[in-house]
Amino acid sequence: MGIFGRSFSNKHNHHHAVDHKAETGSIDSGHHSIGSSNDGNAHHSNGETYTSKKSPTPRSRSVDPAHSRPSLLRFNHSATAKAAVVNHPAASANAGAHEPVDPTHGDSLIELLDRNRKWADQMKEENPGLFEKLSRAQNPDILWIGCSDSRVPAEEICGLGPGDLFVHRNIANVVVSTDMSMLSVLQYAVEVLKVRHIIVCGHYQCGGCLTAMSNKQYGLIDNWLRNIKDVYQSNREQLEDVCDSDRGDLLVELNVAKSVHNVCHTGIVQNAWDRGQALSIHGWVYRISDGRINDLKLCINKQDEVENIYSYVSKTSLKKELEIRRSQLDLKGVNGHQRGESKAPAEAQAVAA
């Protein structure tokens, strides 16, 4: 039994059942067109031209047998890139070969593609049908809001596999009401995927939090880190009451707590609670030095736990209140009619509204 009572298997023996309707959980199962034009070509801002597979002048090329079909796009590199192909050290060694050396692919990237093929083959062997299930729909139970740090991969540290987490990551796992990317992810997770849990997970020794504690300028990112500086200022006495070695970790925890509350302050989450949707928001912190997650024991799952100033009026309770008011006005109007009276203009307008 895994997280929150749901059964998960290890990612190397992943048996993930996807029983959600395809139209409910699928973000996009179709093909994307990139700036297509009538001539069959699409143009990228960096000067490269992408030629559609349906181009009137198709060119032969080798196809990796590991894939069921070739890519839908072909890349015509600029003159600079072509010159790089000619001057690439490996070009002379491959003189006369069918395919030129691609200067955009280093050895490390080629290795990544090779690792991907091996991983896909291994997953197919261990869990036949997994990719077919995932291609039809996704049905994650959890939205993960974490830090972009490469040492904190969400699925890895939770022992999960493809399809188990819906993930949003940014610098220092900050949640603010002006971040349209985060809010879009939150809305999709709550209203379409119907996740039951939202986890805000930070990590100790977070570079974003440590940088926010300094007075140096770093450029554009200073505007983002300002959110963490605000957390520091709001908790300055508590932070300055601990030793220097613990201050950064305490700020990490306070930053997670602030993001948890900010998630709860959104109309997206409060409307879900108002609809009766089961939804809990949790605060966790991962420790890179030992690979363990620290549960901050911060869990909010109902609107009563939201600070009053951030709590929106319940649409359900407001609707009931209006219905009661209208019933009272209707009843008063009937009684007045029986007594030969008419409704007051203001009350009549309220009923009409």
Side-chain angles (χ1 to χ4, degrees):
M1 188 66 67
I3 303 173
F4 307 115
R6 180 177 176 181
S7 178
F8 294 106
S9 58
N10 186 276
K11 65 163 187 165
H12 295 301
N13 187 22
H14 185 64
H15 298 279
H16 180 64
V18 181
D19 53 6
H20 205 49
K21 292 183 179 179
E23 62 270 18
T24 301
S26 177
I27 292 181
D28 186 2
S29 60
H31 300 298
H32 299 276
S33 61
I34 306 177
S36 299
S37 59
N38 293 333
D39 60 0
N41 295 336
H43 303 278
H44 195 278
S45 59
N46 64 4
E48 293 179 350
T49 301
Y50 304 84
T51 305
S52 170
K53 188 180 179 184
K54 296 181 179 179
S55 170
T57 57
R59 294 171 298 172
S60 62
R61 63 195 178 98
S62 60
V63 178
D64 189 337
H67 297 281
S68 59
R69 62 166 175 78
S71 173
L72 294 176
L73 299 177
R74 296 195 182 107
F75 297 85
N76 293 329
H77 295 289
S78 63
T80 302
K82 291 180 179 179
V85 173
V86 175
N87 297 324
H88 195 280
S92 59
N94 291 325
H98 181 70
E99 291 285 348
V101 176
D102 186 348
T104 63
H105 275 193
D107 292 340
S108 60
L109 296 185
I110 294 175
E111 181 181 356
L112 284 182
L113 295 173
D114 185 54
R115 285 174 176 266
N116 166 255
R117 284 189 287 269
K118 292 178 179 178
W119 171 81
D121 291 341
Q122 180 181 355
M123 294 295 286
K124 290 177 181 178
E125 181 179 350
E126 294 178 353
N127 189 1
L130 170 64
F131 293 119
E132 287 76 7
K133 293 177 182 178
L134 292 175
S135 68
R136 290 195 294 269
Q138 62 170 326
N139 188 26
D141 229 10
I142 302 167
L143 167 60
W144 177 280
I145 301 176
C147 181
S148 299
D149 195 301
S150 61
R151 301 166 295 175
V152 194
E155 291 87 354
E156 287 277 348
I157 66 175
C158 292
L160 301 178
D164 287 330
L165 294 178
F166 196 60
V167 178
H168 175 80
R169 296 169 71 179
N170 61 41
I171 299 296
N173 43 271
V174 171
V175 173
V176 289
S177 61
T178 54
D179 185 352
M180 293 298 105
S181 175
M182 183 280 300
L183 291 174
S184 298
V185 170
L186 179 63
Q187 181 181 21
Y188 190 88
V190 172
E191 298 181 5
V192 179
L193 298 178
K194 306 292 185 183
V195 299
R196 296 190 299 117
H197 301 279
I198 299 173
I199 299 172
V200 178
C201 185
H203 67 95
Y204 296 113
Q205 299 177 314
C206 176
C209 289
L210 296 176
T211 301
M213 292 172 61
S214 75
N215 297 110
K216 296 180 179 179
Q217 288 190 22
Y218 294 91
L220 178 65
I221 196 173
D222 293 333
N223 299 281
W224 184 256
L225 298 181
R226 166 66 184 274
N227 297 292
I228 306 176
K229 287 181 178 289
D230 290 342
V231 173
Y232 187 103
Q233 182 61 24
S234 299
N235 299 275
R236 184 173 57 83
E237 292 185 4
Q238 182 181 358
L239 284 162
E240 295 181 355
D241 193 43
V242 300
C243 61
D244 293 346
S245 59
D246 293 336
R247 189 168 298 128
D249 285 351
L250 177 57
L251 180 58
V252 166
E253 294 179 351
L254 291 170
N255 183 52
V256 167
K258 179 62 175 177
S259 289
V260 167
H261 285 281
N262 283 348
V263 170
C264 298
H265 296 166
T266 64
I268 297 170
V269 168
Q270 293 187 30
N271 289 337
W273 285 331
D274 191 41
R275 293 192 300 268
Q277 186 173 335
L279 183 62
S280 301
I281 295 82
H282 312 262
W284 291 1
V285 181
Y286 175 72
R287 192 180 300 278
I288 296 175
S289 59
D290 62 11
R292 303 297 293 271
I293 294 175
N294 178 26
D295 184 355
L296 298 182
K297 308 300 181 184
L298 174 60
C299 177
I300 301 176
N301 55 23
K302 55 185 177 181
Q303 190 161 343
D304 293 346
E305 300 175 17
V306 177
E307 305 95 313
N308 184 62
I309 190 62
Y310 298 111
S311 182
Y312 295 105
V313 176
S314 168
K315 290 183 179 180
T316 301
S317 61
L318 180 61
K319 183 178 180 180
K320 290 181 179 178
E321 182 179 345
L322 290 174
E323 289 175 350
I324 293 174
R325 177 61 174 160
R326 285 170 178 155
S327 297
Q328 292 174 340
L329 291 174
D330 288 341
L331 181 60
K332 188 174 182 180
V334 171
N335 293 336
H337 179 72
Q338 291 175 348
R339 295 193 302 269
E341 300 174 356
S342 62
K343 298 179 182 178
E347 291 179 341
Q349 293 177 5
V351 172

